Amino acid sequence: MKNRKIIIGSRRSKLAMIYAEKAREKILSYVKNFGIDEVAIKEIETKGDQVLDQRLSEVGGKGLFSKNIEVELLDNKIDIAVHALKDMPSEETEGLLTSCFLERNDPRETLISKNHKQLKDLSPNSIIGTSSFRREFQIKKMRDDLDCKLIRGNVDTRIKKLNENFYDGIILSYAGINSLGLNQNISQIFSTSEIIPCAGQGVIALQCRDNDKELIEILKSVNHQLTHNCIKAERNVLKILEGDCETAVGVFASISGFKINLEAELFSLDGSKRFHLKLSENINKANELGIEVGKALKKLSNNSHKK
Ligand SMILES: NCc1[nH]cc(CCC(=O)O)c1CC(=O)O
């Protein structure tokens, strides 16, 4: 390939731009081998950024953050779309390919609270800001007196709303806060078993057109294989459950030696029932493990997780 310029498209938010820059640097460290001249970044506004007063599931569900960016990719206006994997629907858009993932950032969930209190020390009936049913049910599992209220917006907007006393605490991912350099706000970090993250949390995904052979080759060398194995397992659980943003499901895969461990929990639609599973497989069976756990959870829930 000669003198090709690559354009990366990403959401306009500060965090998305940091993710795009990470992807850019990673690609640049490989391009010498591929004859790429320049890697540019283009900011794209998405519906998920525009509508800030409703739950994502109410605005229109799947792909709110990714759709506009995917359209630009299909229209040849950009060459690579960078997404926070957890914001992507579990089914791939026709004509596109997502098979390159950067090494996972810290996948854990954190509490940011007034006066740096831990969850157990919050006053009775405190208000937690989250727009995710998964986080709501997981928090209530630990403290059933707490009240969860909708919060939307970027990470910094959410912290601002906490400081304006609309909430006593908010739950955010470590990866986002850390990437923005806002760690000093963190009051508590939960282990991935205390609060099982959502599938793909902390993973940056690079998507391209499925017929862009040159780029597919480059992205193959950029891809972090162990992360790839983990998210295959995690996202297969979502596929089997046919979940959307309203599905309250935590899924987390980790590698130890030649094993891949998958822990998952699924809640019924009203949050009253919890189904939990933890299984291990040989690392080259990541796909199968995800399917197995997904099917087992589906059976346990007897479709109580769906409308
Ligand atoms: N849905 C919002 C979102 N999408 C990606 C991240 C950052 C974490 C990540 O990259 O997985 C966040 C914020 C959060 O959950 O704290």
Side-chain angles (χ1 to χ4, degrees), residues 244-276:
D244 57 26
C245 354
E246 254 176 87
T247 313
V249 57
V251 205
F252 179 65
S254 60
I255 308 276
S256 45
F258 294 106
K259 290 268 172 204
I260 178 165
N261 318 301
L262 190 58
E263 181 166 17
E265 71 180 334
L266 176 68
F267 292 88
S268 59
L269 210 53
D270 62 1
S272 66
K273 285 185 258 150
R274 171 182 183 258
F275 314 100
H276 175 257

Side-chain angles (χ1 to χ4, degrees), residues 241 266-269 273-275 295-306:
L241 293 175
L266 176 68
F267 292 88
S268 59
L269 210 53
K273 285 185 258 150
R274 171 182 183 258
F275 314 100
K295 282 186 175 162
L297 283 177
K298 194 172 173 174
K299 201 167 168 196
L300 284 170
S301 115
N302 195 16
N303 276 330
S304 64
H305 65 288
K306 284 179 75 167

Side-chain angles (χ1 to χ4, degrees), residues 11 15 19 56 65 83-87 105-106 109 134-135 153 155 158 171-177 179 198 200-204:
R11 283 173 60 195
L15 182 60
Y19 284 4
L56 294 179
F65 289 117
H83 308 273
L85 178 61
K86 76 168 186 172
D87 295 329
N105 294 311
D106 194 318
E109 298 278 37
R134 171 186 59 87
R135 284 174 173 161
V155 171
R158 293 188 193 198
I171 306 291
L172 285 170
S173 68
Y174 186 93
I177 296 164
S179 298
C198 73
Q201 182 152 305
V203 175
I204 298 170

